[in-house]
Amino acid sequence: MAKTIFITGASRGFGKLWAEALLQRGDKVVATARDLSTLNDLVSKYGDNILPLQLDVNDRAADIAAIQQAKEHFGSIDVLINNAGYGLFGSVEETNEKEAREQMETNFFGLLWLTQAVLPVMRQQGHGHIIQVSSVLGLVTLPVLGLYNASKFAVEGLSETLATEVKGFGINISLIEPNGFATEWAGASSAQTVAMPEYDAVRAAFQAGLTDDIFGVPEATTPAVLKLIDSETPPLRLFLGKVAYPWVKQTYEGRFAEGENWNEVASAAHGK
């Protein structure tokens, strides 16, 4: 059965790939972008099955209005895919207030506003699926991506909590956690801080670790995302790529080992 999917950040990358795959199989798609011209090819090809909406997810009132317009246009919203976001490259010390706030506004607050806006629609329907495009960097970290890491860690905590709150309404929550993929995320879609020479060695080490093999093929993610959307019992977390899960597993094993080493001190701190 065809579904109605609302997807943000549909102008390029994962968002556009997934939007077109959904349209190809007959779903109805509400696709948002800051620049509507980036959706002209989809509109000309799929006609009434796509509703293109100009949207800056940082605008809470516009987010609420977009959800309402989508509901009125198609009658329902079965799936919300919060895909809009970008990477901010720079060390924590290099990051200024404006850069930090803008990173959180888009990656976290924009996602929050749309999530809040769609929940009443899904509660009234008695069903729904909210898919948050997080990152493996919401569970593990890399240097020179501290604010991006923080934004995705926030998305993880919010979404895991939300899943426990809305399950009784028939609403599922999923976090998509990709490793690196060959999209424009690290290029045209990204932002950079002003570099401090003190961190040149850190940046060099980071760049040296970016081998071609760790970047997946974006088109290869589509079957996994369609399967997630179609699942009657979707997982809370879906890793994408061959690097993500092993990396998280190794990192968490290290955290548990460190916790075990300090458990006597931790237990004594309980006081009783």
Side-chain angles (χ1 to χ4, degrees):
M1 184 179 294
K3 294 184 177 182
T4 299
I5 292 96
F6 187 113
I7 181 166
T8 65
S11 63
R12 64 179 79 183
F14 285 146
K16 190 156 193 179
L17 278 171
W18 300 342
E20 181 153 26
L22 290 161
L23 288 163
Q24 282 176 343
R25 71 178 197 168
D27 289 323
K28 299 184 184 302
V29 173
V30 183
T32 81
R34 292 193 182 200
D35 179 1
L36 276 186
S37 68
T38 61
L39 301 174
N40 286 347
D41 55 336
L42 297 184
V43 173
S44 63
K45 190 172 183 180
Y46 298 102
D48 292 341
N49 279 351
I50 180 172
L51 173 64
L53 295 179
Q54 186 172 19
L55 183 64
D56 177 352
V57 299
N58 296 352
D59 185 336
R60 187 172 186 268
D63 291 336
I64 295 169
I67 291 291
Q68 188 57 38
Q69 185 176 348
K71 168 68 165 60
E72 291 172 357
H73 186 84
F74 283 127
S76 65
I77 301 174
D78 300 303
V79 181
L80 166 64
I81 304 178
N82 274 314
N83 171 67
Y86 70 96
L88 173 63
F89 288 79
S91 74
V92 171
E93 186 178 357
E94 291 167 345
T95 308
N96 65 37
E97 180 179 357
K98 182 176 183 289
E99 291 165 338
R101 291 188 181 278
E102 288 179 349
Q103 178 78 131
M104 296 302 296
E105 284 290 343
T106 300
N107 290 9
F108 177 73
F109 284 106
L111 173 147
L112 172 59
W113 307 146
L114 282 157
T115 297
Q116 287 180 329
V118 84
L119 283 171
V121 175
M122 291 183 171
R123 277 194 292 103
Q124 186 178 35
Q125 294 171 170
H127 73 274
H129 189 184
I130 300 174
I131 298 174
Q132 319 284 41
V133 181
S134 180
S135 168
V136 68
L137 297 181
L139 295 170
V140 297
T141 63
L142 281 174
V144 307
L145 281 163
L147 268 295
Y148 181 80
N149 291 327
S151 71
K152 295 302 185 179
F153 268 67
V155 167
E156 295 279 332
L158 173 80
S159 303
E160 186 169 310
T161 303
L162 180 64
T164 65
E165 296 173 344
V166 300
K167 191 70 175 178
F169 304 130
I171 302 171
N172 292 306
I173 309 296
S174 294
L175 288 149
I176 291 180
E177 292 157 343
N179 52 225
F181 278 83
T183 66
E184 295 181 21
W185 177 83
S189 298
S190 66
Q192 302 272 347
T193 64
V194 176
M196 294 171 56
E198 290 86 349
Y199 291 95
D200 286 350
V202 176
R203 267 185 291 277
F206 169 74
Q207 290 292 335
L210 301 180
T211 60
D212 287 344
D213 190 52
I214 69 172
F215 291 99
V217 178
E219 291 79 4
T221 65
T222 298
V225 172
L226 296 182
K227 187 172 183 178
L228 176 67
I229 289 170
D230 293 340
S231 174
E232 293 183 5
T233 56
L236 176 60
R237 288 184 169 87
L238 172 64
F239 295 103
L240 291 182
K242 69 180 184 181
V243 176
Y245 176 69
W247 185 13
V248 172
K249 185 173 184 289
Q250 181 183 39
T251 300
Y252 272 69
E253 286 172 349
R255 290 175 185 172
F256 285 131
E258 184 175 65
E260 187 67 32
N261 290 339
W262 282 83
N263 189 47
E264 186 176 340
V265 175
S267 297
H270 193 67
K272 62 178 181 179

